[in-house]
């Protein structure tokens, strides 16, 4: 289980770094700097949220496997991170577009869904070849 979760996180991390590099290029070479800055801010905090979720999920699974009481998965931390991103965007609208920050906050979850869909298709195709 931990290996699967870690593999999903590492694949997602590669995709997110690709997107972040695209966003930085967009920020540097287009007139839409606030949009791309918002995407960078939201996506970076989205990555942080997913990292904490993976870490806490692994700890949760280990605690359950050992029969210990398991702590929560850190929803309050993720909500506070999202609130921080929105607060920054609202405080500095000349630097960050609010809608872009919100889209950026959802980016990792979209990347996960696309990755799981691709992995499902790959597994199905590999099964048909045998």
């Amino acid at each position: 289980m931990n290996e699967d979760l870690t593999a999903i996180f590492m694949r997602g991390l590669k995709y997110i770094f690709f997107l972040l590099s695209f966003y930085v290029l967009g920020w540097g070479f287009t007139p839409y700097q606030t949009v791309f800055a918002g995407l960078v801010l939201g996506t970076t905090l989205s990555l942080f949220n997913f990292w904490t979720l993976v870490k806490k999920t692994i700890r949760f699974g280990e605690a359950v496997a050992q029969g210990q009481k398991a702590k929560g998965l850190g929803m309050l931390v993720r909500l506070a991170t999202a609130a921080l991103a929105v607060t920054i965007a609202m405080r500095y609208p000349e630097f960050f577009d609010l809608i872009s920050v919100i889209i950026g906050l959802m980016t990792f979850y979209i990347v996960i869904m696309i990755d799981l869909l691709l992995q499902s298709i790959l597994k199905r195709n590999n099964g048909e070849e045998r």
Side-chain angles (χ1 to χ4, degrees):
M1 170 71 180
N2 289 350
E3 294 82 25
D4 292 338
L5 192 56
T6 303
I8 291 169
F9 178 74
M10 294 307 290
R11 280 193 312 269
L13 192 61
K14 291 175 189 175
Y15 300 142
I16 290 296
F17 282 147
F18 172 77
L19 282 174
L20 284 172
S21 64
F22 176 74
Y23 296 159
V24 168
L25 288 173
W27 177 83
F29 295 108
T30 68
Y32 306 106
Q33 291 183 334
T34 59
V35 171
F36 285 105
L39 287 169
V40 168
L41 176 64
T43 302
T44 302
L45 292 177
S46 175
L47 176 60
F48 171 76
N49 279 344
F50 190 64
W51 174 72
T52 59
L53 180 63
V54 167
K55 187 172 72 169
K56 289 186 181 258
T57 301
I58 290 170
R59 287 184 189 159
F60 185 86
E62 290 170 353
V64 169
Q66 295 173 0
Q68 299 173 347
K69 184 175 177 173
K71 294 181 181 180
L73 296 177
M75 183 165 177
L76 186 62
V77 171
R78 292 192 311 274
L79 288 174
T81 304
L84 173 66
V86 170
T87 302
I88 291 171
M90 291 179 72
R91 175 68 175 94
Y92 302 104
E94 65 274 12
F95 298 114
F96 302 103
D97 178 59
L98 179 62
I99 301 300
S100 298
V101 170
I102 293 169
I103 291 170
L105 284 169
M106 296 184 296
T107 300
F108 212 101
Y109 300 103
I110 294 167
V111 166
I112 292 169
M113 287 187 276
I114 292 170
D115 178 60
L116 291 176
L117 178 67
L118 289 174
Q119 293 302 315
S120 173
I121 291 170
L122 288 173
K123 284 182 183 178
R124 186 169 14 121
N125 287 343
N126 288 338
E128 290 175 2
E129 292 175 3
R130 291 182 183 171

